[in-house]
């Protein structure tokens, strides 16, 4: 039997592990530092822990850092990583440098069950959910490789974070913990396809994590076609959840719209989008759809992107167009899949 990986625990989880061993809670801090700032490979290295605790942990857990299988470097400095976990499952993360900042986009699942029509990850289905340590390690290892501190982290790689809620939250807490990665909560963003009960739950978490919601269309029929996995959360319910989130947290969520030629950039679509967003405390992020192999869908022309931008702006909706990074190595949004060598 393989022992569980200790990296899956956030501070509260480590405190439980320590309590089971009859040890004081403050040692969680030492464990977090060994794991996340010193990248310990074994419990033996943890010389400031009592020998009896080290041998207790050794009998109950492993330390299983992911193995780097492939790395590609874009002409703009973006790096895409393919990681292999101890059971052979793989997932990708992307490091995006910008001046002295480093944003790491990480995966929350290997594959995804939601089946969105425009997404390379959705095409292959779900392999399995990742645990918190597997998520945080994608960020820590990318930062180590780039020789930078991760200043921002986004759960926008493979997978639907809210279909793996608890592990994702533990990962966000490891990323945020000053004794682990120390990334400010507001610099940690989760993107969801719109699982309404989880949006409400996320609003009640004590940390000020940032939320992005993939909207893609404010026309129900189009959204159902593009995002079959969230048909059971129709647009009026989603809109109410967005409004509740904004009013209860005082934070403005981002609505993401990947613009697809002839699908969600028509006049009817733009009108519906403007109507959906008007009066909501949101920021809209327009993403010209990135090409996905084997998909008949293609990105909107620049003129259409500008038309959507203008329509939203003139209705008073705060809107931006996402700058594309790493497209030459298929590292851009929605291009991540599980195979080696990109596509
Ligand atoms: N499952 C989550 C997070 C991962 S996807 C979600 O769907 O929100 C991260 C972002 O990339 C989402 O906004 C998603 O809709 C977007 N995306 C997926 N495929 C894309 C593509 N081909 N072009 C542009 N954006 C895409
Ligand atoms: Fe899954 Fe998000 Fe891709 Fe949809 S866009 S298939 S929810 S990863």
């Amino acid at each position: 039997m393989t022992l569980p990986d200790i990296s899956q625990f956030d501070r509260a989880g480590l405190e439980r592990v320590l309590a089971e061993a009859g040890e004081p809670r403050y040692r969680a801090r030492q464990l977090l530092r060994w794991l996340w700032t010193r990248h310990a490979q074994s419990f033996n290295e943890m010389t400031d822990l009592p020998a009896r605790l080290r041998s207790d942990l050794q009998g109950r857990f492993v330390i299983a850092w992911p193995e780097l299988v492939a790395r590609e470097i874009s002409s703009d400095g973006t790096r895409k990583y393919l990681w292999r976990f101890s059971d052979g499952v793989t997932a990708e993360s992307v490091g995006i440098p910008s001046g002295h900042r480093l944003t790491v986009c990480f995966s929350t699942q290997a594959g995804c069950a939601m089946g969105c029509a425009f997404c390379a990850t959705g095409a292959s289905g779900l392999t399995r959910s990742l645990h918190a340590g597997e998520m945080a390690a994608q960020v820590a290892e990318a930062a180590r490789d780039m020789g930078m501190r991760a200043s921002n982290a986004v759960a926008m790689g493979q997978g639907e974070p809210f279909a793996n809620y608890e592990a994702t939250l533990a990962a966000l807490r490891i990323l945020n913990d000053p004794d682990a990665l120390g990334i400010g909560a507001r610099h940690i963003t989760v993107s969801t396809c719109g699982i309404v009960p989880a949006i409400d739950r996320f609003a009640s978490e004590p940390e000020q994590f940032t939320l992005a919601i993939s909207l893609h269309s404010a026309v129900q029929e189009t959204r159902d076609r593009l995002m079959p996995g969230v048909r059971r959360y129709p647009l009026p319910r989603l809109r109410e959840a967005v409004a509740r989130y904004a009013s209860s947290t005082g934070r403005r969520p981002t609505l993401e719209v990947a613009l697809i030629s002839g699908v969600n950039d028509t006049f009817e679509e733009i009108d519906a989008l403007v109507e959906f967003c008007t009066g909501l405390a949101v920021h809209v992020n327009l993403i010209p759809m990135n090409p996905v192999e084997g998909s008949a869908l293609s990105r909107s022309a620049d003129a259409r992107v500008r038309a959507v931008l203008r329509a939203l702006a003139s209705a008073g909706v705060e809107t931006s167009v996402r700058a594309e990074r790493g497209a030459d190595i298929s590292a851009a949004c929605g291009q991540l899949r599980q195979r080696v060598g990109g596509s």
Side-chain angles (χ1 to χ4, degrees):
M1 194 191 80
T2 6
L3 295 171
D5 180 357
I6 193 143
S7 77
Q8 72 189 276
F9 298 111
D10 59 7
R11 182 181 294 261
L14 288 172
E15 286 175 353
R16 281 194 300 276
V17 165
L18 288 162
E20 283 157 19
E23 290 286 335
R25 291 154 59 111
Y26 69 80
R27 296 209 183 280
R29 179 177 191 191
Q30 288 167 285
L31 276 170
L32 283 168
R33 288 189 175 176
W34 277 111
L35 292 169
W36 298 105
T37 63
R38 296 190 226 180
H39 195 63
Q41 305 292 317
S42 74
F43 294 107
N44 278 336
E45 285 169 48
M46 303 182 181
T47 45
D48 56 356
L49 298 182
R52 60 161 197 283
L53 173 59
R54 277 185 270 154
S55 78
D56 173 273
L57 293 174
Q58 187 134 22
R60 292 162 68 202
F61 299 101
V62 292
I63 302 175
W65 298 120
E67 184 192 336
L68 179 61
V69 186
R71 183 185 73 170
E72 286 177 88
I73 304 182
S74 161
S75 54
D76 68 15
T78 297
R79 296 186 181 192
K80 180 166 78 165
Y81 302 91
L82 180 72
W83 306 104
R84 181 160 52 221
F85 304 108
S86 49
D87 61 355
V89 164
T90 60
E92 286 175 314
S93 66
V94 181
I96 308 155
S98 177
H100 62 281
R101 295 181 169 280
L102 172 64
T103 300
V104 183
C105 174
F106 64 97
S107 298
T108 56
Q109 299 183 302
C112 183
M114 308 310 290
C116 299
F118 46 83
C119 174
T121 306
S124 46
L126 176 67
T127 304
R128 73 163 168 86
S129 284
L130 302 182
H131 70 57
E134 292 171 328
M135 294 181 224
Q138 297 169 52
V139 179
E141 301 280 280
R144 259 178 6 113
D145 179 69
M146 298 184 83
M148 295 173 80
R149 194 191 144 261
S151 57
N152 297 67
V154 296
M156 291 192 187
Q158 290 177 25
E160 167 47 40
F162 286 171
N164 185 21
Y165 189 92
E166 256 135 58
T168 298
L169 255 286
L172 305 190
R173 293 191 168 124
I174 294 170
L175 295 172
N176 178 227
D177 198 302
D179 290 311
L181 280 91
I183 304 174
R186 290 178 205 194
H187 297 145
I188 300 174
T189 302
V190 175
S191 174
T192 177
C193 59
I195 299 178
V196 166
I199 294 173
D200 287 325
R201 189 169 170 195
F202 195 64
S204 70
E205 301 293 353
E207 296 89 352
Q208 302 211 310
F209 299 128
T210 301
L211 180 64
I213 297 164
S214 295
L215 177 64
H216 301 313
S217 174
V219 174
Q220 192 66 54
E221 207 190 333
T222 312
R223 193 166 194 266
D224 287 350
R225 206 157 19 96
L226 291 176
M227 308 176 74
V230 281
R231 275 186 192 146
R232 84 194 106 126
Y233 305 114
L235 286 162
R237 275 190 71 194
L238 180 64
R239 194 176 188 283
E240 285 159 20
V242 171
R244 277 196 300 276
Y245 177 90
S247 75
S248 74
T249 65
R251 299 194 297 278
R252 198 176 265 260
T254 297
L255 297 182
E256 299 162 282
V257 180
L259 290 171
I260 310 170
S261 179
V263 175
N264 60 2
D265 62 355
T266 62
F267 290 116
E268 185 205 346
E269 289 279 337
I270 298 174
D271 285 349
L273 184 61
V274 167
E275 194 187 325
F276 187 92
C277 297
T278 303
L280 270 186
V282 291
H283 175 94
V284 175
N285 199 198
L286 303 175
I287 318 161
M289 184 201 145
N290 292 306
V292 172
E293 194 185 84
S295 166
L297 303 173
S298 62
R299 71 164 53 183
S300 300
D302 289 350
R304 297 308 302 161
V305 176
R306 284 195 300 273
V308 180
L309 183 63
R310 264 197 315 272
L312 287 164
S314 60
V317 181
E318 193 184 286
T319 310
S320 57
V321 179
R322 184 177 296 172
E324 184 175 57
R325 298 288 302 265
D328 56 337
I329 55 167
S330 293
C333 295
Q335 295 186 315
L336 301 188
R337 49 176 84 218
Q338 295 179 69
R339 75 173 126 99
V340 187
S343 59

